[in-house]
Amino acid sequence: MSRKKRILSGMRPTGKLHLGHYVGALENWVALQGEYDNFHLIADYHVLTTQLDTSDIEANSFEMLKDWLAAGIDPDQSPIFRQSRIKEHAELFLLLSMLITTARLERNPTLKEQVRDMKIENMTYGHLGYPVLQAADIILYKGELVPVGEDQAPHVEIARELARRFNTTFGEVFPEPAPKLTSFARLPGLDGQTKMSKSLDNAILLSDEPDVIHGRLRKAYTDPDKLRRNDPGHPDICLVFTYHRRFNSADTGGIRSGCESGFLGCVDCKRICGEAIAGQLEPFREKRRYYDEHPGDLRTILADGEVRAQQVARETMAQVHEAMGLG
Ligand code: ATP
Ligand code: MG
């Protein structure tokens, strides 16, 4: 029997998830579950790269866990665990940090984007090392496929380089991981910015109620040339049309011709879009309600996932120690 390939992917617990997280990564985790052997980590150490206030990390971890389960992650098939509970992440991070130069890390385009968006003036050593810790997360489980959004692809490239560097220096232990992008690897935000993001306050959350979704969409940025209902619009540059393409795909022909002819106004177009999004999220909200009422189940899921993750992490580190002649 051939072994299934392993997926390792995680997210930072910074709160409830939005549509960008779903269509960029989470949707792929769910779709590939079964075909691959999935492991999913709650990257709580990674939160510390950009904030030292730890008061919300635990609550945010549970909110994110509920979103993962609501979207269809099956914890029996796919172990879910907190990074900080498996100490091998910290050890492998330390060892990998000897195998990469600071110049390589400074060239990371995702880091440059963060510095710009978050106006970071003095970066910590830990923040510079973000992708080294992420590489440790991935290769500790011998992850081969990493479903992520576009902004994370440069980090997976660094993980590949580190796996290769380890193997050529100390002996073959790690497979080289590859990223896996969806066709919406960078979903734009409601303000027309290139990325939907909680910190930019331009997001629709997976747990938003229909009236909230409609309210958020009403304020969304649209084609600036289409001011009145009868003005012809340009769907290809309209954000709302992007959302139609993803959440109302059966009807994009009608939306396009209505918009272009001027027959369909923006108010109605947004209402139809909101109904499509709310309809697709309804089963998520229902599942989330179950977990809101059964918080004990969440603790059991993590406890089980952490036992399974710990076992794999221990085995990998035994091979690392042997290859390096350490420990
Ligand atoms: P936020 O700014 O909302 O906190 P983030 O970029 O910090 O989002 P991460 O926790 O770093 O979110 O990312 C989790 C996963 O979701 C990553 O794989 C990331 O690429 C993906 N992702 C986040 N936002 C988007 C988006 N707008 N479109 C596509 N994928 C996204
Ligand atoms: Mg985040």
Side-chain angles (χ1 to χ4, degrees):
M1 199 182 80
S2 73
R3 187 178 74 79
K4 283 184 192 170
K5 285 194 170 184
R6 178 154 299 158
I7 280 181
L8 188 295
S9 193
M11 294 185 192
R12 301 197 309 157
T14 48
K16 293 178 176 171
L17 300 184
H18 54 66
L19 294 179
H21 294 122
Y22 180 64
V23 304
L26 180 55
E27 185 177 32
N28 251 345
W29 300 2
V30 175
L32 299 169
Q33 198 171 226
E35 187 187 338
Y36 286 81
D37 179 25
N38 289 33
F39 276 63
H40 296 301
L41 112 161
I42 297 176
D44 49 5
Y45 279 149
H46 270 112
V47 175
L48 303 175
T49 59
T50 53
Q51 69 174 64
L52 294 177
D53 178 359
T54 54
S55 55
D56 288 335
I57 293 181
E58 188 178 27
N60 284 342
S61 297
F62 282 99
E63 291 304 327
M64 187 168 80
L65 174 58
K66 281 189 270 185
D67 281 330
W68 288 2
L69 297 167
I73 297 293
D74 168 9
D76 292 331
Q77 276 190 68
S78 309
I80 300 174
F81 54 98
R82 286 163 290 189
Q83 184 186 32
S84 64
R85 298 300 164 113
I86 314 291
K87 299 305 171 195
E88 283 81 353
H89 288 263
E91 189 191 0
L92 188 56
F93 167 58
L94 172 105
L95 298 173
L96 294 182
S97 69
M98 311 302 169
L99 300 177
I100 189 163
T101 65
T102 52
R104 174 68 183 93
L105 293 171
E106 281 158 358
R107 271 203 316 274
N108 167 18
T110 303
L111 190 77
K112 289 184 184 163
E113 209 171 272
Q114 276 184 352
V115 168
R116 188 196 61 211
D117 291 348
M118 301 172 77
K119 301 185 174 57
I120 296 166
E121 283 174 9
N122 291 304
M123 181 170 309
T124 63
Y125 173 57
H127 192 177
L128 181 67
Y130 187 117
V132 184
L133 178 57
Q134 188 171 338
D137 298 340
I138 297 167
I139 71 177
L140 185 55
Y141 301 91
K142 300 195 175 175
E144 291 160 281
L145 198 71
V146 190
V148 283
E150 192 181 69
D151 58 326
Q152 292 293 323
H155 291 174
V156 182
E157 179 55 34
I158 291 175
R160 246 179 123 73
E161 290 170 21
L162 280 166
R164 197 178 306 145
R165 187 80 208 280
F166 184 97
N167 290 344
T168 52
T169 311
F170 300 113
E172 197 74 27
V173 172
F174 299 112
E176 288 179 24
K180 169 123 183 116
L181 301 183
T182 67
S183 45
F184 287 84
R186 186 179 278 260
L187 189 74
L190 290 162
D191 53 358
Q193 293 292 315
T194 57
K195 191 183 157 197
M196 183 174 281
S197 159
K198 248 183 94 176
S199 28
L200 301 173
D201 193 26
N202 64 7
I204 291 176
L205 302 182
L206 298 183
S207 49
D208 278 343
E209 295 290 335
D211 56 330
V212 176
I213 296 174
H214 285 292
R216 304 275 290 159
L217 268 175
R218 269 197 292 276
K219 285 186 246 144
Y221 180 82
T222 50
D223 176 1
D225 288 339
K226 187 167 164 67
L227 297 175
R228 278 171 298 272
R229 180 187 176 103
N230 293 326
D231 292 343
H234 305 93
D236 293 317
I237 58 158
C238 182
L239 173 73
V240 179
F241 191 68
T242 304
Y243 298 165
H244 273 291
R245 281 203 291 117
R246 174 55 188 79
F247 295 98
N248 188 25
S249 56
D251 202 20
T252 47
I255 300 287
R256 173 184 287 285
S257 58
C259 173
E260 284 174 344
S261 69
F263 179 73
L264 178 68
C266 291
V267 174
D268 286 335
C269 174
K270 287 175 168 180
R271 184 182 42 74
I272 298 167
C273 185
E275 280 163 10
I277 294 174
Q280 287 191 35
L281 296 182
E282 174 53 31
F284 293 14
R285 283 196 303 280
E286 197 174 308
K287 228 167 161 187
R288 205 177 204 285
R289 274 193 292 276
Y290 169 84
Y291 287 109
D292 281 336
E293 287 158 15
H294 299 85
D297 287 14
L298 300 173
R299 296 208 174 264
T300 309
I301 286 168
L302 289 182
D304 169 64
E306 283 156 11
V307 168
R308 290 156 76 188
Q310 180 66 71
Q311 191 182 340
V312 178
R314 197 176 293 131
E315 285 166 12
T316 307
M317 286 315 287
Q319 294 170 14
V320 167
H321 293 152
E322 184 170 343
M324 296 181 73
L326 277 179

